[in-house]
Every structure is written in structure tokens, then in C-alpha cells.
Amino acid sequence: TFRTGVLIGKDFPAAVSNMARDTIFPEDLAAEFDAVVMAGGAEQPRDLPVPGRELKGVHFAMDFLPQQNRVNAGDKLKDQIKATGKHVVVIGGGDTGSDCVGTSNRHGAESITQFELMPMPPEQENKPLVWPYWPTKLRTSSSHEEGCERDFAVATKRFEGKNGKLEKLVACHVEWKDGKMTEVPDSEFELKADLVFLAMGFVSPVQQVLDAFGVQKDARGNTKATVEGESAYQTSVPKVFVAGDMRRGQSLVVWAIREGRQCARAVDEFLMGSSVLPR
């Protein structure tokens, strides 16, 4: 049985709580079921704690993108974040940032600029150097092709505005040496910005869920659990298992698939004493 629109736990921000139709508490799940698996994503976005972060117009990407999905599905939103006629800056060069570019284009943004903290990668990867790891190369999505300016090795220093409303950002170019980032002298610049979307990845699972279950966490805020042995994928709380991003942090879907299969076997062994499921 799939139940959507459900929050597990309490003390969620109002913006999240308003999207849920129901709230379930972990102790109720533990009383009703013989095993519980936490297999959500790493949904806690990485923030940018610079001066002016509180200005109106600076948003997490995932405050922006789900709203458009809901509108596309026919929902009516009272305070949708709209990029129409605005100067938009997207901070972050991954898939989420690309989605912000594409959605802003469809809204009819006046301008769109995307910043990436890392240097511009080569157009063709050095396969012998990076194999078997994910190749580092310049990736241009269909969203980029629709139109935007892209700038690399850029660090945002602060946001500025008037009367609590964002008007511009101040950034600089950086260079990387021996894994350390330093500001390029005399490279500071300003850019007009009405909307800024923070698309810099995710740092951990939603802490309210982990805290509600009372599971032990690692230093990065993920659920602590091993992947081998008799207690594989078991948390510090009896009957509660964990797999994927909620255990390892933000990662690839192939890891989620692998850990999901292995966790299923671990649950089967826990309930039945043995398992024929593949690992």
C-alpha cells in the first residue's frame, strides 16, 4: 500500500507541513509493523551562509521546482515563485541547477546566469585518467541550450538589496591549487539579481525524520548503520532499518538500488532467520 502526502515525525517547517495530508509517528509504525525501512533521499539542501542570505528573493532550488510540478499537475498555488521578467542567478552547476535554468526560461525570465564553484571542465573527458569513475567533462543540457550565461570558478560573497528585497549579488572568481580555493585578486564583480536559486546539492536526510525515530547518526548527519554482518542495514533502534541516501548521504541512484536490494535481504533474514533474496 502506497500512502502519499504523509509526514513521518513532527516539527517540520510550515511550508512542508502544509503539503502533507497526514502525520504518522514512528512509535505507531513500530507498534503496527515488524520492521521499518527508512529509504528516503538526502533532502536537506546545502545552504550558502553569506551576508544577505535572508533577503526576499533567495530560495533553495527545491522551494522553486516542486511548485512548478504542482502547477503542471493542475494545482493552484497562491504564492508561486515566478521568474517572469526577472534577473535570475542559479548557484550550482548540477542537474538541479539545470532544471532551475529550464524552468526560469519557461517562465520568461529577463536574464539567467548560472554559477559553478569548480573550474570549467574539459569538453572531452580523459577516459584513461578517470575510468571507472564518473567522467569529468563539460555537460550542456537542453535547458542550457534554451538560453543562459554560464560562469565557472565563481564564489558568491554576499547578497545586497533594499527594504529586505534582493537586488544584486557580489561574487568573485576563484582558483584551485592543491585542493584549496583562493580568491583571484581584483576579480570581484556585481550582478543584478531579482531571484537567486541555491542548487548546490544536499548534505543529509531531513533531520526531523531521523530525530523522530531517535536513530544514531554519523558525523555528517546520516543514519549510522553498517552494510555487512548480522546487523547489516540495522539502525540503533530495534526493528528500524535504513538504506540509500539516508544512510550514505547524497549519492547516485545505482547506490540506492544496490542498498535497497541488500536491505530487503537483511529485513528478510531478520524476520525469517534466513533469506533466498539476492544480495
Side-chain angles (χ1 to χ4, degrees), residues 37-43 203-205 210 218 220-227 232-235 241-264:
V37 178
M38 299 193 300
E43 300 176 73
V203 294
S204 69
L210 306 192
D218 62 20
R220 296 184 300 145
N222 303 315
T223 307
K224 193 171 183 179
T226 63
V227 297
Y233 294 99
Q234 294 186 39
T235 71
F241 294 73
V242 65
D245 284 9
M246 296 187 85
R247 190 197 70 83
R248 62 184 297 119
Q250 181 185 4
S251 189
L252 302 175
V253 67
V254 291
W255 278 109
I257 295 170
R258 180 178 190 266
E259 292 207 359
R261 291 169 65 92
Q262 292 186 347
C263 183

Side-chain angles (χ1 to χ4, degrees), residues 65 90 92-103 114 140-144 199:
L65 297 175
V90 179
D95 292 340
T96 303
S98 175
D99 289 342
C100 288
V101 170
T103 302
Q114 185 177 27
T140 300
S141 70
S142 58
S143 295
H144 295 136

Side-chain angles (χ1 to χ4, degrees), residues 3 10 34 53 62 97 111 145 161 176 181-182 196 224 227 229 278:
R3 292 180 59 181
K10 58 182 179 178
D34 298 306
R53 169 64 179 87
M62 293 307 289
S111 69
E145 292 173 348
W176 295 83
M181 181 185 74
T182 58
V196 168
K224 193 171 183 179
V227 297

